[in-house]
Amino acid sequence: QVQLVESGGGLVQAGGSLRLSCTTSGGTFRGYGTAWFRQAPGKERRFVSALGWNGRTARYADSVRGRFTISRDSANNTVYLQMTNVVPEDAAVYYCAARQWADAMLMMRVSAGNYWGQGTQVTVSS
């Protein structure tokens, strides 16, 4: 059973930056499509960003494009979500998801994630 663990959440000022990390108990994300989703209180879980299994193709929600960047380290151990120019609407619990051999487009769907982390809270102060 693959387990994902997110970290890096916290309090950030509007306009500031934050980097979220996602690691896997399986030791590597090689061959896995990964994605970040977020869920604000009282709202459904929504797509943020995805990275295809080859680690090269990325997708972004319109609301974060140009501000957030998804990446995977060279050892394929960690997937990052670099958040810049944060706005209050970015406040949510952020979840990491993964699915083997999934491309970025597939990982845009909540239903695509076979494995999920427990989430990390991002709070934005204005």
Side-chain angles (χ1 to χ4, degrees):
Q1 181 75 11
V2 174
Q3 292 184 325
L4 306 182
V5 178
E6 303 97 335
S7 61
L11 177 64
V12 59
Q13 277 193 323
S17 299
L18 202 64
R19 189 175 77 165
L20 306 183
S21 300
C22 176
T23 58
T24 172
S25 64
T28 180
F29 279 114
R30 187 184 302 276
Y32 281 83
T34 54
W36 289 94
F37 293 82
R38 66 188 182 187
Q39 188 167 18
K43 296 189 176 181
E44 63 185 13
R45 193 168 297 188
R46 293 188 174 180
F47 168 73
V48 176
S49 182
L51 191 64
W53 66 269
N54 61 11
R56 292 195 294 267
T57 305
R59 299 273 181 172
Y60 297 93
D62 290 343
S63 59
V64 307
R65 187 176 293 112
R67 300 188 298 116
F68 291 9
T69 303
I70 190 170
S71 63
R72 197 164 76 189
D73 70 352
S74 59
N76 296 301
N77 294 333
T78 306
V79 174
Y80 301 101
L81 183 69
Q82 179 67 50
M83 306 167 61
T84 62
N85 196 18
V86 171
V87 298
E89 292 73 25
D90 293 326
V93 177
Y94 282 71
Y95 297 91
C96 177
R99 181 187 181 109
Q100 199 167 22
W101 307 121
D103 62 24
M105 184 173 291
L106 176 62
M107 291 305 299
M108 294 173 68
R109 306 176 185 177
V110 173
S111 60
N114 284 345
Y115 307 104
W116 289 87
Q118 82 290 346
T120 186
Q121 177 74 51
V122 173
T123 302
V124 181
S125 64
S126 56

